[in-house]
């Protein structure tokens, strides 16, 4: 049998022999690529290797490129001149944001009468007229006059059967529950308190004062605390850092201060009482000790970590402040101006649509690229195979 195989091989055309060799080389290459991919997956699942790679990448962050080092001295001198121009641009940009802050203050005064009227409707201090309450929905536009009249009678019948609610009950609580950023820090024991929240206002710093804004949470009289207003002030800075001017990207929140909540006895939801049993080492007797410990609550928002004078914080405090700044900025920029749309859920749908559109565009672009590659007669799929994983020292 071996002789027959050898004879067949000897009788094969030289071109056929080349084809056999090419196939063997391709199969060997595919095996190597498959092994390389398996090795890559194994390495990416090794936490020590990932940590080493991350450390290496962190070390490269901000380091000058080899290209800059290779430039002639006279060109480097001109690049330095461009950097100095960029610093001046950053200072002009800072002035621009200061004027934007002045515009915000100006237009806040124009918005406020509308926000005050919103608050009056929510807390039943004002009943809107028929003209003010008229709003056509998409569904109503498609209904015939007869159907509209029937729907109106049914609504009136339902209203007669129900108790007449005052204002818009649980308006701000509903807003909070509809927004993931706020509902994540909202606890069940916070909800009875937030039912008494009547308004949230934004107050900007006075002209000539350091840039800041204050969030005011206005409450009706309740059994939980005696405050009628809880405040949170955010101090901002709109100037480039002398040590890192190129990092400037508009005003940034530097610190924030809350307020003291005057809790009614036994109503403080930011604290909880736990009981622990302790055993005496010598006598072996057991006693029960009662301790008061911090409790998760939205109202911890009003007691943020203090930023020391040197600005250094531990990782936990940094994470808390970063989340705090994000919440404060979101309430100021989105919640207060568009509260009714977060109450109805329309603003949330708009936010979701924005993300979906971006994702669809990205998918379309990827699909176009794949189609172009398939239609390209010179396209070689082997070139896209994952290369062997290597850790190289730069």
């Amino acid at each position: 049998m071996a002789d027959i195989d050898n004879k067949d091989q000897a009788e094969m055309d030289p071109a056929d022999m080349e084809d056999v060799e090419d196939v063997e080389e391709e199969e060997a290459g595919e095996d190597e690529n498959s092994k390389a991919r398996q090795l890559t997956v194994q390495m990416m699942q090794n936490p020590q290797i990932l940590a080493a790679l991350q450390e290496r990448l962190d070390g490269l962050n901000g380091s000058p490129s080899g290209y800059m080092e290779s430039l002639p001295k006279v060109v480097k001198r001109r690049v330095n001149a461009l950097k100095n121009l960029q610093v001046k641009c950053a200072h002009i940009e800072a002035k621009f944001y200061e004027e934007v802050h002045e515009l915000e203050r100006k237009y806040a005064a124009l918005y406020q009468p509308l926000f005050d009227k919103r608050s009056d409707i929510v807390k039943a201090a004002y009943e809107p007229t028929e003209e003010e309450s008229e709003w056509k929905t998409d569904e109503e536009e498609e209904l015939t006059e007869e159907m509209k009249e029937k729907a109106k009678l049914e609504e009136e019948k339902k209203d007669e059967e129900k108790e007449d609610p005052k204002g818009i009950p649980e308006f701000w609580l509903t807003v909070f529950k509809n927004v993931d950023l706020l509902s994540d820090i909202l606890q069940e024991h916070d909800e009875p308190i937030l039912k008494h929240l009547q308004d949230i206002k934004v107050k900007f710093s006075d002209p000539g004062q350091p840039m800041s804004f204050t969030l005011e949470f206005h409450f009706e009289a309740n059994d939980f605390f005696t405050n009628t207003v809880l405040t949170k002030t955010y101090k901002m800075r709109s100037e480039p850092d002398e040590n890192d001017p190129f990092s400037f990207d508009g005003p940034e929140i530097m610190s924030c201060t809350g307020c003291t909540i005057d809790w009614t006895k036994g109503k403080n939801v930011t604290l909880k009482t736990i009981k622990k049993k302790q055993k005496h080492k010598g006598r072996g007797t057991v006693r029960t000790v009662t301790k008061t410990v911090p409790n998760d609550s939205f109202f911890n928002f009003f007691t943020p970590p203090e930023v020391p004078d040197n600005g250094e914080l531990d990782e936990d405090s940094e994470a808390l402040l970063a989340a705090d700044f994000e919440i404060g900025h979101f309430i100021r920029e989105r919640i207060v101006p568009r509260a009714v749309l977060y109450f109805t859920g329309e603003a949330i749908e708009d936010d979701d649509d924005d993300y979906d559109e971006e994702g669809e565009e990205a998918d379309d672009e990827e699909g176009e690229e794949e189609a172009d590659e398939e239609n390209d007669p010179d396209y070689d799929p082997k070139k896209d195979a994952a290369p062997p994983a290597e850790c190289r020292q730069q």
Side-chain angles (χ1 to χ4, degrees), residues 66-196:
Y67 174 72
M68 281 298 301
E69 295 299 319
S70 67
L71 290 175
K73 186 175 181 181
V74 65
V75 177
K76 289 181 182 177
R77 180 174 169 275
R78 292 168 190 150
V79 172
N80 289 338
L82 295 184
K83 286 185 175 181
N84 286 323
L85 291 176
Q86 190 63 44
V87 172
K88 290 179 180 179
C89 287
H91 284 282
I92 292 173
E93 188 180 4
K95 293 294 181 185
F96 164 78
Y97 283 114
E98 286 178 7
E99 292 195 21
V100 168
H101 190 69
E102 292 297 325
L103 278 174
E104 283 186 307
R105 184 188 294 111
K106 173 186 174 182
Y107 278 89
L110 300 177
Y111 287 128
Q112 197 53 52
L114 302 177
F115 293 158
D116 288 342
K117 195 165 191 177
R118 176 180 71 187
S119 176
D120 288 342
I121 293 173
V122 167
K123 63 186 181 184
Y126 174 78
E127 186 62 35
T129 64
E130 286 296 323
E131 184 180 354
E132 290 173 324
S133 304
E134 187 176 345
W135 183 268
K136 283 189 176 181
T137 63
D138 294 338
E139 291 84 357
E140 286 177 348
E141 290 177 1
E142 297 174 0
L143 295 175
T144 63
E145 289 298 323
E146 185 180 348
M147 292 173 71
K148 286 181 183 177
E149 188 63 31
K150 186 178 179 181
K152 186 178 179 182
L153 291 172
E154 287 180 0
E155 285 294 325
E156 288 176 355
K157 187 178 179 182
K158 287 180 183 178
D159 288 342
E160 288 175 4
E161 292 172 357
K162 295 179 182 177
E163 293 182 12
D164 182 22
K166 302 297 182 184
I168 303 179
E170 301 180 16
F171 178 82
W172 289 103
L173 172 60
T174 304
V175 170
F176 277 42
K177 292 170 78 172
N178 281 346
V179 178
D180 290 343
L181 190 64
L182 299 176
S183 64
D184 285 347
I185 60 172
L186 191 66
Q187 306 298 320
E188 188 175 345
H189 48 252
D190 295 324
E191 295 186 16
I193 309 175
L194 288 171
K195 289 179 181 179
H196 298 283

Side-chain angles (χ1 to χ4, degrees), residues 279-295:
K279 188 175 182 180
H280 194 280
K281 291 181 180 179
R283 296 192 294 270
T285 55
V286 177
R287 65 173 182 173
T288 301
V289 178
T290 302
K291 291 179 67 177
T292 301
V293 296
N295 192 28

Side-chain angles (χ1 to χ4, degrees), residues 167-391:
I168 303 179
E170 301 180 16
F171 178 82
W172 289 103
L173 172 60
T174 304
V175 170
F176 277 42
K177 292 170 78 172
N178 281 346
V179 178
D180 290 343
L181 190 64
L182 299 176
S183 64
D184 285 347
I185 60 172
L186 191 66
Q187 306 298 320
E188 188 175 345
H189 48 252
D190 295 324
E191 295 186 16
I193 309 175
L194 288 171
K195 289 179 181 179
H196 298 283
L197 179 59
Q198 294 184 316
D199 198 11
I200 303 176
K201 295 181 179 180
V202 181
K203 295 291 179 71
F204 293 95
S205 53
D206 294 330
Q209 296 297 313
M211 190 183 293
S212 68
F213 68 92
T214 300
L215 301 176
E216 294 183 352
F217 295 74
H218 292 253
F219 288 83
E220 66 182 348
N222 60 80
D223 297 331
F224 299 93
F225 45 71
T226 58
N227 312 65
T228 55
V229 181
L230 301 181
T231 60
K232 185 73 170 288
T233 300
Y234 291 87
K235 294 180 181 178
M236 305 169 69
R237 183 180 70 178
S238 181
E239 59 183 38
D241 188 337
E242 291 182 3
N243 298 322
D244 187 16
F246 303 132
S247 66
F248 180 74
D249 191 28
E252 57 180 333
I253 296 173
M254 301 305 296
S255 64
C256 58
T257 52
C259 66
T260 301
I261 302 178
D262 299 320
W263 293 99
T264 304
K265 188 176 180 180
K267 298 289 187 177
N268 188 348
V269 294
T270 65
L271 298 174
K272 64 181 178 181
T273 302
I274 61 171
K275 293 182 178 181
K276 293 182 70 176
K277 291 185 177 181
Q278 293 181 341
K279 188 175 182 180
H280 194 280
K281 291 181 180 179
R283 296 192 294 270
T285 55
V286 177
R287 65 173 182 173
T288 301
V289 178
T290 302
K291 291 179 67 177
T292 301
V293 296
N295 192 28
D296 290 337
S297 168
F298 164 76
F299 290 91
N300 290 321
F301 178 71
F302 297 98
T303 53
E306 291 186 10
V307 180
D309 294 335
N310 60 11
E312 294 182 3
L313 291 165
D314 58 57
E315 288 185 9
D316 290 343
S317 297
E318 275 190 9
L320 280 172
L321 275 181
D324 188 293
F325 293 170
E326 184 182 4
I327 292 168
H329 183 74
F330 193 84
I331 292 174
R332 168 200 164 184
E333 290 284 328
R334 307 295 292 274
I335 298 296
V336 172
R338 309 176 72 201
V340 65
L341 301 181
Y342 283 99
F343 176 81
T344 61
E346 292 167 87
I348 301 158
E349 291 171 7
D350 290 344
D351 291 344
D352 291 342
D353 289 343
D354 290 342
Y355 284 110
D356 288 341
E357 286 170 8
E358 289 177 8
E360 286 167 9
E361 287 174 7
D363 291 342
D364 291 343
E365 289 172 5
E366 288 175 7
E368 288 172 7
E369 288 176 5
E370 288 174 3
D372 291 342
E373 288 171 350
E374 289 173 2
N375 295 328
D376 184 359
D378 297 326
Y379 171 65
D380 183 359
K382 288 191 291 182
K383 292 179 180 178
D384 286 345
E390 294 181 6
C391 292

